[in-house]
Amino acid sequence: MLEVNIKPVSMIAGTGSYLPSRVLSNFDLEKMVNTSDEWIKVRTGIEYRAIVEDGVITSDLCKEASLEALDEAKVLPEELDIIVVGTITGDVKFPSTACYVQKKIGAKNAVAFDLGAACCGFLYGISIADHMMKSTRYKNILVLGGEILSSITNWKDRNTCVLFGDGAGACVIKRSDGKKGILGTYIKSDGTLSELLTMPGGGTKYPDPSSVPDEKMNFINMEGREVFKHAVINMTEAGKLILKEVGLKSSDVDILIPHQANMRIIEAVAKKIDIPKERVFINLNKYGNTSAASIPIALNEARKEGRIKEGDICLMVVFGGGFTWGSAVVRF
Ligand code: ACO
């Protein structure tokens, strides 16, 4: 096993994910907007996305992902100290979706709160959880990313509607055994670029959906090319920086779990960090971009498919609205 000079304080003891069973294919989208399966596949790598049935809400998806993660970690809901949900599509404006998850799983002893960092919500949550473990006596933290992006997608806009999907992913963080665990995290943001990826409607600026200057403002608005450029630069920087900080090289990474937004972004980032294709986990084709849920869903699938073995070094990199970005290195 690779020697690492860092003694982790917390570790990922269980993961879970949940995807709605209703599937929307590129061919379905061809009937909705002026697009083609070929364009979507070539430009993004996406073929399908999972979309919730009417009436299903974010905490429902989070509950299912949580139960799988808790079961694997052998942690009871009442043993949870904290529940953090990364989301931009919570059940209601307030209270937090984390409180609804707390109620649904019966985690009566936890403190529950949401984290709004767009696609980075889960990874910011991991970073905060690790630091909470370092500074408190807490033993068990549940970190989630859960989104129903279909609820804020403009289904008439071909620039964005082909990209997004729904889902949730979870992980249970416990105290480390001293070997396995979170070796380091890095999180960053740049608010000067916030307008490039935003949903202006529904906040205090435009509380009434009918008062927005343009009805598109009630949905995800994105300057795709700019987001693409910054995503590549910042995910690369985040990946390299955290590897350096924990004293590892790119050749030490057994698996890269990148934010699943666009295949071309993933390929560019992996190349720049110098991680070969075989060591990059991709499920983007099946689910599209599920924002904060993207990394925990991918992490759970990678583990359950046997792509992550005992002792493996996993690098996660993410980028999203804010702009926000970050990375984490974990030994499993
Ligand atoms: N089908 C067919 N044509 C399309 C479609 C579509 N679905 N969407 C756009 N086009 C057209 C455009 O209109 C344009 O046509 P024109 O040349 O006649 O003007 C042409 O295709 C090229 O458009 P670009 O925007 O330049 O296409 P690009 O190659 O940049 O791909 C994309 C667009 C996929 C959105 C890409 O820019 C991207 O992935 N950006 C990053 C998205 C991302 O990573 N988001 C992450 C964060 S999301 C979050 O935080 C919630």
Side-chain angles (χ1 to χ4, degrees):
M1 196 190 274
L2 181 75
E3 274 303 316
V4 182
N5 282 331
I6 292 171
K7 208 165 175 258
V9 169
S10 61
M11 66 175 190
I12 295 178
T15 54
S17 58
Y18 184 78
L19 277 308
S21 57
R22 188 170 139 211
V23 172
L24 189 72
S25 72
N26 292 349
F27 297 103
D28 296 325
L29 283 161
E30 282 182 358
K31 294 178 203 138
M32 296 160 65
V33 286
N34 181 15
T35 190
S36 68
D37 171 57
E38 202 201 340
W39 191 97
I40 303 170
K41 269 200 306 224
V42 170
R43 299 286 184 124
T44 72
I46 301 166
E47 292 174 74
Y48 306 96
R49 55 297 282 144
I51 305 287
V52 293
E53 299 289 349
D54 289 349
V56 175
I57 54 177
T58 304
S59 59
D60 296 332
L61 308 183
C62 289
K63 175 191 164 189
E64 300 303 328
S66 299
L67 294 178
E68 184 185 342
L70 286 164
D71 185 53
E72 193 201 345
K74 298 189 173 50
V75 170
L76 297 171
E78 54 269 34
E79 291 173 324
L80 285 172
D81 299 301
I82 307 179
I83 301 172
V84 193
V85 178
T87 188
I88 51 168
T89 49
D91 291 1
V92 292
K93 272 230 183 280
F94 77 90
S96 62
T97 299
C99 287
Y100 289 112
V101 176
Q102 173 178 32
K103 180 168 91 173
K104 284 180 179 174
I105 65 173
K108 60 180 183 196
N109 297 311
V111 52
F113 60 93
D114 286 358
L115 210 160
C119 298
C120 294
F122 173 79
L123 213 120
Y124 272 42
I126 291 284
S127 184
I128 287 166
D130 186 43
H131 285 92
M132 290 294 265
M133 285 295 216
K134 285 172 178 158
S135 59
T136 66
R137 286 162 187 258
Y138 288 147
K139 289 197 181 89
N140 301 303
I141 303 181
L142 176 65
V143 183
L144 290 133
E147 302 283 14
I148 299 189
L149 293 182
S150 59
S151 67
I152 57 166
T153 296
N154 182 351
W155 293 104
K156 292 181 196 149
D157 176 16
R158 69 173 183 174
N159 291 293
T160 52
C161 76
V162 302
L163 303 174
F164 303 110
D166 305 335
C171 79
V172 172
I173 297 188
K174 276 187 185 176
R175 296 224 153 249
S176 169
D177 59 6
K179 284 197 183 115
K180 284 186 215 165
I182 299 169
L183 301 176
T185 62
Y186 167 73
I187 51 175
K188 188 84 202 303
S189 47
D190 181 355
T192 65
L193 299 170
S194 53
E195 299 310 313
L196 296 172
L197 181 52
T198 177
M199 186 180 123
T204 49
K205 195 169 176 183
Y206 302 110
D208 173 5
S210 64
S211 73
V212 291
D214 181 340
E215 66 160 22
K216 288 185 183 149
M217 292 165 97
N218 290 318
F219 302 102
I220 301 170
N221 281 250
M222 181 174 72
E223 295 290 336
R225 280 185 211 179
E226 282 300 307
V227 175
F228 191 108
K229 198 172 74 191
H230 287 279
V232 172
I233 294 169
N234 292 317
M235 283 205 280
T236 303
E237 181 232 36
K240 286 185 174 174
L241 197 142
I242 197 64
L243 283 175
K244 192 166 173 215
E245 200 172 293
V246 302
L248 295 176
K249 303 184 292 296
S250 53
S251 56
D252 297 324
V253 175
D254 296 295
I255 189 156
L256 171 68
I257 309 241
H259 176 48
Q260 311 281 317
N262 184 310
M263 184 64 101
R264 292 182 293 137
I265 295 176
I266 294 174
E267 284 168 357
V269 170
K271 195 165 170 215
K272 283 173 187 285
I273 304 180
D274 196 18
I275 296 177
K277 270 207 295 266
E278 321 73 79
R279 287 196 259 135
V280 182
F281 186 81
I282 290 162
N283 62 3
L284 169 76
N285 54 317
K286 294 190 286 182
Y287 310 131
N289 180 351
T290 56
S291 186
S294 159
I295 292 218
I297 292 171
L299 179 62
N300 186 44
E301 288 201 347
R303 293 184 66 240
K304 307 280 155 86
E305 284 172 19
R307 288 280 303 273
I308 303 180
K309 298 178 296 299
E310 187 100 356
D312 274 0
I313 298 287
C314 169
L315 171 65
M316 296 178 243
V317 287
V318 67
F319 181 83
F323 286 151
T324 51
W325 60 98
S327 54
V329 179
V330 178
R331 159 165 270 161
F332 280 92

